[in-house]
């Protein structure tokens, strides 16, 4: 009975909220990064007058040891923000904003990311590699069948509809994805089931099969 209640509660929650995840899936060299990235109505505008930003392949895990997601590309800022190097995120609605980001240097302890909206600072977070937790996941390519991975915390904050300025005043940072979970009108998007053997959460983001909560695999929902 407990598992059935959890499933019903998860479905009810999914119907009351809509999530848009803006991530990267194409490599761009410095100077070739497009002026904007979009996911639905979520828009990330890039100011890169000096041609410092780039997108490359790099897998990282974010979340907690019990529930996490991974991304295979990152947007590298290539230096600290200025009038010539910065990002603006346009939100189509009020909601919970999640930023999946790491420092641009594993040894740095002072690089921060700042989110500002309507001249109000929403977040000023130093990105520390030491804040990562370690997990063990299955990996068929490993001799032991398992590998250890770092899982980095997700920056989470409430934001309003409109523009959010993203700056990094100390030095470069790496952004893997940006997610907006906003209140909807109770109308959920109908997604075509994906039959690829991978496991996804309700936002359509690939997760570990061992992650807790309501998940989708080969078009079927199940609860861990």
């Amino acid at each position: 009975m407990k598992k059935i209640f959890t499933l019903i509660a998860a479905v009810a929650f999914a119907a009351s909220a809509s999530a848009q995840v803006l991530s990267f899936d194409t490599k761009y060299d410095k100077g070739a990064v497009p002026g904007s990235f979009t996911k639905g109505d979520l828009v990330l505008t890039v100011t890169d007058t000096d041609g410092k930003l780039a997108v490359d392949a790099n897998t990282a895990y974010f979340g907690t040891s019990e529930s996490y997601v991974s991304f295979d590309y990152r947007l590298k800022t290539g230096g600290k923000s200025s009038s010539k190097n910065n990002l603006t995120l346009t939100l189509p609605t009020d909601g919970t904003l999640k930023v999946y980001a790491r420092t641009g240097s594993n040894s740095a302890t002072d690089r921060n990311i700042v989110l500002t909206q309507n001249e109000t600072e929403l977040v000023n977070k130093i990105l520390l590699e030491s804040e990562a937790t370690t997990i063990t996941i299955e990996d068929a390519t490993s001799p032991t069948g398992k590998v250890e991975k770092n899982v980095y915390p997700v920056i989470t904050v409430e934001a309003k509809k409109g523009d959010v300025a993203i700056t990094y005043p100390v030095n470069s940072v790496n952004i893997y994805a940006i997610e907006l979970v906003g209140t909807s009108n109770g109308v959920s998007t109908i997604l075509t089931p994906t039959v690829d053997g991978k496991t996804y959460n309700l936002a359509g983001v690939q997760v570990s099969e061992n992650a807790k909560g309501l998940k989708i695999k080969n078009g079927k929902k199940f609860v861990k």
Side-chain angles (χ1 to χ4, degrees), residues 102-122:
R102 289 175 59 191
T103 175
S105 169
N106 291 353
S107 61
T109 58
D110 59 350
R111 298 191 184 186
N112 59 331
I113 185 169
V114 182
L115 274 58
T116 306
Q117 186 174 47
N118 298 326
E119 299 183 356
T120 299
E121 190 173 271
L122 303 180

Side-chain angles (χ1 to χ4, degrees), residues 86-184:
N86 61 76
L87 304 168
T88 301
L89 181 67
T90 301
L91 308 181
T93 184
D94 298 355
T96 302
L97 183 60
K98 299 181 180 182
V99 179
Y100 303 80
R102 289 175 59 191
T103 175
S105 169
N106 291 353
S107 61
T109 58
D110 59 350
R111 298 191 184 186
N112 59 331
I113 185 169
V114 182
L115 274 58
T116 306
Q117 186 174 47
N118 298 326
E119 299 183 356
T120 299
E121 190 173 271
L122 303 180
V123 169
N124 189 335
K125 177 72 172 67
I126 295 178
L127 302 174
L128 298 172
E129 291 288 296
S130 60
E131 291 184 339
T133 58
T134 302
I135 60 171
T136 302
I137 63 174
E138 296 182 359
D139 186 344
T141 64
S142 170
T144 62
K146 296 181 179 180
V147 294
E148 289 190 343
K149 296 289 185 181
N150 287 334
V151 178
Y152 299 91
V154 180
I155 299 170
T156 304
V157 66
E158 297 301 315
K160 299 293 185 181
K161 177 181 177 180
D163 289 345
V164 175
I166 301 177
T167 55
Y168 23 94
V170 175
N171 214 324
S172 64
V173 299
N174 299 324
I175 299 175
Y176 288 76
I178 298 172
E179 178 180 0
L180 175 66
V181 181
T183 303
S184 70

Side-chain angles (χ1 to χ4, degrees), residues 155-219:
I155 299 170
T156 304
V157 66
E158 297 301 315
K160 299 293 185 181
K161 177 181 177 180
D163 289 345
V164 175
I166 301 177
T167 55
Y168 23 94
V170 175
N171 214 324
S172 64
V173 299
N174 299 324
I175 299 175
Y176 288 76
I178 298 172
E179 178 180 0
L180 175 66
V181 181
T183 303
S184 70
N185 296 322
V187 179
S188 24
T189 303
I190 299 175
L191 300 177
T192 303
T194 301
V195 182
D196 58 5
K198 298 180 181 179
T199 303
Y200 300 88
N201 62 17
L202 292 177
V205 179
Q206 185 179 347
V207 298
S208 165
E209 189 166 342
N210 294 324
K212 294 183 178 180
L214 182 62
K215 296 171 291 183
I216 303 172
K217 182 176 182 179
N218 293 333

